[in-house]
Each structure stands twice: as structure tokens, then as C-alpha cells.
Amino acid sequence: MTTTVLPRVNYLNVKHTVASWLLTKDHKRIGIMYLIVVSLAFLIGGIFAALIRVELTTPLGDLVSDDTYNKLFTMHGVAMVFFVLIPAVPAILGNFALPLMIGAKDVAFPKINLLSWYIFVIGFLFTIAAGILGGVDTGWTFYTPYSSVYSNSNVLLTGIGIFIAGFSSILTGLNFMVTIHRMRAPGMTWFRLPLFIWALYATSLVQILGTPVIAITVLMLAVERALGFGFFDPRLGGDPVLFQHLFWFYSHPAVYIMILPPMGAISEVIACFSRKSIFGYSFVAFSSLAIAVFGFLVWAHHLFVSGISPYSAMVFSFLSFAVAIPSAIKTFNWTATMYRGAIWWQAPMMWVFGFMGLFLIGGLTGLFLAALGLDVHLHDTYFVVAHFHYIMVGGAIMGYFAGLHYWWPKMTGKMYSNSAATLAALLVFVGFNLTFFPQFIVGYLGMPRRYHAYADEFQVLNVLSSAGASIMGVGYTLIACYLLYSFFKGKDAGPNPWRAVGLEWETQSPPIPENFTEQPIVTAAPYGYETRESNVG
Amino acid sequence: MADGLVAHVDSHEHGEAHHPDLQHHFETLGQQHEAATLGMWVFLVTEVMFFGGLLMAYLLYRVWYPEAWAEGSLELDIVLGGFNTVVLIGSSLTMALAVRAAQTGLPKATVRWLLLTMALGLTFLVVKFFEYKHKWDLNHIPGENFTFEGPHAPQVEIFISLYFALTGLHALHMVIGFGILSVITWMAHRKRFTPEWSTPVELSGLYWHFVDIVWIFLFPLLYLVDRVHQLN
Ligand SMILES: [Cu+2]
């Protein structure tokens, strides 16, 4: 590359006023604004988790009362699910990278993109207000009739917060879907799209079809609680299980809103750091769509002990097994991509290895829970808690950090310390396993979830769990430290520090406000690492 | 590849790039129009799912409590409901004519048809208000003060709850539509729409038709559950 002086104007320094950020329509700045709010939510949710783990170091409920404990795990769940896991990869990394990766100047609707950030923040503020005014204690699942009639906590305010934040997710999904359909650069055909884009497309499908259902469900709950309408009220002949159906019709597919985009990021990182094209590109692409579609057909596996008919339970059990197939296809293809690749041991790849190990365990233990008989034993025990944390933290959060470490040099133009990042990945991986693997055992032995006290014989495993959580906490704190340090003091990364293939790496770092100086034209399939490597020599 | 690039940039410069309504991140008005239209359709899909949750509850309880559904439905005023159905179908016609007028470059006719559409929408809302008022007077509002004489009073309360939720959400969509049409009418009055660019009129038309179609479903589902018995 010739050393012509790059225009040093970029999307970060083009304007400095606060208003230039708060009124920006630039997808890259909006991505950064999401990063700030989501990180704050992650910190808040993490503090709740820490308090939970401290309480559980002893069998007695001695640190907090049972009421307070109920509020802690509820607000931990609400903060992490609705304000971290769902927006993390689409709204932060997707917003930043999607237009760059398809060679567009912006998303299709930049104003709506900004609007969805504001909606998200307003929803977040409502939820925080609910926390400050005394919290909410229903569990993040808000099951009726406890939530609609009996709970004396801020169900209404939290519900409104989630309702509002849902529209942010819907609008992001809508925006991405239209962007992928209509904003691709010339020559960027569907089968030249990077797999991250396929994953975001599948995710927007879930956001568009699922999120409105949770919105109306929460609205029905709110109206029932506030005005005394009867939708789920058993005193009138209403059915609380209907609430569970409607809730999980969204909330199971929501798992795919959380996991599909990180899977997309994983595909990008694996290709780059194995210096190989993704093995079975179209299988990985279509498995995203398959997960999005079939993910809508398995929700009742959360209701196996809620009194649904055994015949429907059998069908849902079978479908829940079946939905594991596309995830397995992805895992096999990633492994095959790494096989005989020239693996480059850089920080983003460390997070990928962590993801592969943890997601595998999370996925396989999901099969235990999909089995009807075993689920009766394991339902509402710590086994379930461990399983979904392996998927949501071990899968989604590890994938998010893989993506964040991969695109960070592009987002900020700065490089972080590779050894610090490797250490953080290791700490989180070890800490995570130490936290959650004992929970599989303690759950299998019969410790129920959502109690602040437990039988004495479970203490050893719980102490291990709490110790692991503190290691994880150190890992996450370390990430915040070296990323912030690199942002202010880091070395310049240059346009393409990973020698990666993809349109986002062909513009400067950080990119100019319009992304590209010239409209890019695509002439080849993604991940041409083999040809590029042979060129480099 | 270089040739292609040059040709492309060229067409951008001399094409429709200078149209005042072309946003900077689109290449052509056609691309902008297609993106906006697709966005609207996707939005309407989310609306279908939004109403779908309530309709699921309706379906379940209707199967469980057919007698209560018949009783509750008889409480609704079929004349006012039928009148409103005709009004809304009429407003869909005037909306379609407004879109047509905008596409063919007739600003005065566009404004006229839009005003008529809004008048019909307002008529609907006024009638709906009196229907609600009547329910209020009879203490048929779900909640603590709900009173209803009949063998299935509790289940009728579920029916009436769903009636208010469905028609209330629909009325809210009408109010929002009324607001959108006010802005569109003002823009049409300012001669902002041309045969080249009338996307906002078309999109508000799509929205308006959607809201009408929701009512086309709600009317029979709520008002016509078991009218046959009334006739006999
Ligand atoms: Cu599930």
C-alpha cells in the first residue's frame, strides 16, 4: 500500500460537541452510544449477580432477606436479558459493522436508528426507576397471577420499561432487514454476504416476528395489573398458562436474538484467524435461517411441568431436539474451518475457543432439558440456571467479546494489548466454568433455583461457584481497563491489523463519516483468505 | 473494475442526485422508494404479530367459553359497529384515491381526498367514543366495578376485556393515522409531492389500509359471534 496521507478526519473526531453525538445519524456513532449504555447495564446486572453469589456462599439466608434476594435475581435477569444480551451484538457490533460490511454509506433508515437508541434509553431509565423505587421480585419471567395480582413490587414500571425497550429491538431488526435487502454495494450478491450479515438477517427475522408478541403480552399484563382487566385471571376463568405460552413464544426465540449474532461474529473471526474460507458457507448461512424459523416452534419446552397436554409436550420435546441440529452444523463447520488452517493465536481467537467449549456444553445440556422425563427432575433447579448461562454467557457474551476484540481496532483505530486480552479471555473462561459447572451438579442433586437459603450439603459447590464468579469479575474488569486504555493511549491499529478480508477493512480506521471514499464494488465471494495468503507469500 | 466504478459514480452525479428529497445515503430515488416501501411492509408484519397475541387469547377463550362469547357479543351495538365498518371501508376508498391523485400529480385532488379520509376516520372515532360511553354508563368496564347480569358473568368480563383491548388498540392506531394524515395533507397542500416522488402518501396509505383491515377482522369477531339466535 502506498503511503499517501490519509484524510485524518474520521467519524469520531469529525465533530466534538455533545449535540453532535446525541443528534447523530451515523450508524457508527450510534453503535458506540449503544456500547456505552449496554456496558452500563452489564455493570449493573453484574453487581446484582455479585450480590447473589455473596449471599449464596453460606447455606443460611444471612446477607439479604428473602424478599431482597427475589428482587436481586429478578433485576439481574431483567438487566442482562433485555438490556445486555438482546442489544449487545446487533445494536453495538451490527450497527457499527453492517453498513461497512455490505459497502453502504449507512443503514436504510438512519433517523429511525437514532430513534431506536433513544427508545432503548427511555426503556432503560424506566427499568432503573423501577429498581430505585424498590425493585421488582417476580423473576424476569413475570408469571401471572403472581405478577398481575399478588406481587407488591414495581411490576408495572419494569413492564413499561421492557415494553418500550422492545420497540427499540423491533426497529433495529426492521432497519437491518431493509438495509440488507436494499443497501448492498454493486456486486454484493446474497451469497457474497459475510456470514455475520446472514446472522443479523436471521436475527432481524426473530426480532420482527417475536418482539411484538412480548410487547402485547407485557401490555396485557400491565392492563390487568393496573386496571383490573381479565386476560389471565383464574378467578374469571382466565388461564395463567396462556401467559406462559405468549411469554415463551417470544422469549425462547429471544435466545436466538442473543446467540445468532455472536455466532455470526464467530464465523468472521474463525475465518480470519484460521486464514481460511469458512467451510460450508451456505450451510452456515442457512443454518442461521433455520434456527430463526424453527426457533419459533419449540417454546412450550418451558411448560413441560405447567400442565400442558402430554401429546403437545412430546411434539415440543421432539422439535427441541431438532432445533439443536442447525447449531451443531455450525459447530462442525467452524471446527472444519480451523482444521488444517494456519491458526493465528490472537486475542479475538481466544474468545472463539472459549465460545466453542462453553457453547458446546450449553447446547448438549439443553438436550437433557428437552427430554421430557429428565426435565421433570431438572426443572427449576440449578441445572437449568447453569444450562442457560452456558448459552447466554458462555455463548453469547464470549461471542460478543470475540467480535468486539475483532472490530475494536476498526471502531477506535487503536490496538489493545494482546497479552492482556488473552489473559482476560482465560480468566473469564476459567472463572465461568468454575462458576457454572458446579451448578449442573448441585442442580442435578436437587438444589432449586431462586431461593436465598439452601441445604448444608450444597455449600462446597456453591462456594466454588462464588469463587469462580469473582475470577470472572476480575476478567471483565480487566477488559474494561485495557480497552479504555487503548482508546486513549493505544498504538494506531492501521486500516487492517488482522490482514482480514472484508469491505470494512478496506477503509481507514476509524472510518470516515461516509464509510468509503469511493463506492466499493464487490467481485468475489467473502473470505478469500487462501488467495490473499498466497499473494502475501 | 475501474471502468465500472467510474461509470457508476458518473450516473450518480448526473442522475437524480440533486432531487431535494433524495437522502445522502441512497444512490437513487428508486432505491430510496423501495427501501421505504419494504420498511413499511415489515412494520405492518410486526403489527400483525402485535394484534396476533390478543387474537390468540381471543381464540382460546372463545373455544373455552362459547356461551359467554355469545352473551358478551350481544351487548355490542351491531348498528353502530356496522355503520363504522361502512365508514372505514369508505375511507379506504378515499385514501386510495388520494394516493392515485398524488402519483398523477394532482395536489388539489390529493388534499381533497386526504381531508375526506380524515373526516371519515374522525367519524369512526366519534362513533367509537359513544359506544365506549354507553359501556361506561352500564358499568361494563372490566375491573372492580364491572357489573353484568347473566350466567357467565366472569367469562363475559374476559370477553369485554378483549373487546376493549382490541378496539382500543385499533382506535389508538386510528388516532396515530389521523396525525400522520394531517402532516401528509399539509405536505400535499405545500405541493411537496410529484409523480416522481410521492412515497409518504403511498406509505401512509398502506398504514391506513392496514388499520382498516384490522377492523374488518374485529367487527365479525366481536360483534357477530352468535347473532343467529337473536334473529330466531
Ligand atoms: Cu427455550
Side-chain angles (χ1 to χ4, degrees), chain A residues 471-486:
Chain A
I471 296 175
M472 240 198 310
V474 173
Y476 290 133
T477 314
L478 183 60
I479 301 172
C481 293
Y482 65 75
L483 285 186
L484 280 173
Y485 179 83
S486 83

Side-chain angles (χ1 to χ4, degrees), chain A residues 105 107-110 174 178 181-183 208-209 212 215-216 227-231 236-239 242 518-519 521, chain B residues 5 24-27 31 34-35 38-39 42-43 45-46 49-50 57 61 64-65 143 154-155 157-158 161 164 169:
Chain A
K105 289 195 188 107
V107 293
F109 310 115
L174 184 153
V178 176
H181 269 283
R182 295 286 181 239
M183 308 297 284
I208 285 161
L209 295 175
I216 191 70
L227 306 176
F229 276 43
F231 298 117
L236 301 176
D239 186 8
L242 174 66
E518 284 172 342
Q519 169 70 62
I521 294 178
Chain B
L5 187 71
H24 84 284
H25 59 296
F26 290 111
E27 292 291 313
Q31 186 195 21
E34 282 179 6
L38 179 62
V42 172
F43 173 72
V45 169
T46 70
M49 297 307 292
F50 191 65
Y61 294 132
W64 280 9
Y65 308 122
Q155 292 80 10
E157 188 175 349
I158 299 181
S161 295
F164 273 105
L169 268 181

Side-chain angles (χ1 to χ4, degrees), chain A residues 188-415:
Chain A
M188 179 61 94
T189 58
W190 283 90
F191 290 101
R192 287 179 183 167
L193 285 173
L195 288 164
F196 185 55
I197 307 300
W198 276 100
L200 286 178
Y201 188 85
T203 308
S204 44
L205 209 63
V206 182
Q207 287 173 305
I208 285 161
L209 295 175
T211 319
V213 178
I214 191 74
I216 191 70
T217 309
V218 172
L219 193 65
M220 287 159 87
L221 167 62
V223 171
E224 178 152 334
R225 187 174 167 91
L227 306 176
F229 276 43
F231 298 117
F232 311 113
D233 190 343
R235 292 171 301 186
L236 301 176
D239 186 8
V241 178
L242 174 66
F243 176 87
Q244 299 183 20
H245 278 290
L246 290 173
F247 179 86
W248 288 109
F249 181 82
Y250 165 77
S251 295
H252 183 82
V255 174
Y256 302 119
I257 301 179
M258 304 172 200
I259 196 71
L260 276 171
M263 284 172 158
I266 293 290
S267 293
E268 301 300 316
V269 178
I270 285 193
C272 175
F273 293 91
S274 308
R275 318 311 290 181
K276 271 179 74 186
S277 295
I278 287 285
F279 181 85
Y281 168 92
S282 51
F283 278 90
V284 180
F286 281 114
S287 65
S288 289
L289 290 182
I291 289 174
V293 173
F294 292 114
F296 275 108
L297 305 175
V298 300
W299 76 87
H301 60 216
H302 298 271
L303 281 71
F304 285 160
V305 297
S306 300
I308 60 172
S309 96
Y311 302 106
S312 76
M314 278 185 239
V315 173
F316 277 107
S317 170
F318 172 76
L319 290 170
S320 301
F321 278 109
V323 83
I325 295 171
S327 297
I329 288 176
K330 279 182 192 290
T331 313
F332 290 137
N333 281 291
W334 289 326
T335 315
T337 306
M338 286 193 261
Y339 178 66
R340 291 198 168 172
I343 291 182
W344 192 21
W345 296 80
Q346 293 288 304
M349 198 60 176
M350 299 302 143
W351 292 96
V352 169
F353 289 136
F355 170 95
M356 298 280 280
L358 301 182
F359 181 72
L360 185 71
I361 298 175
L364 291 177
T365 52
L367 297 178
F368 290 49
L369 294 167
L372 280 174
L374 204 47
D375 183 68
V376 174
H377 175 65
L378 297 174
H379 188 88
D380 267 348
T381 68
Y382 265 86
F383 191 93
V384 176
V385 175
H387 157 68
F388 71 71
H389 280 88
Y390 264 83
I391 295 290
M392 290 178 176
V393 186
I397 294 291
M398 298 293 278
Y400 162 64
F401 279 123
L404 187 67
H405 284 79
Y406 179 59
W407 282 300
W408 183 262
K410 182 54 65 182
M411 295 167 90
T412 63
K414 297 295 174 60
M415 191 51 93

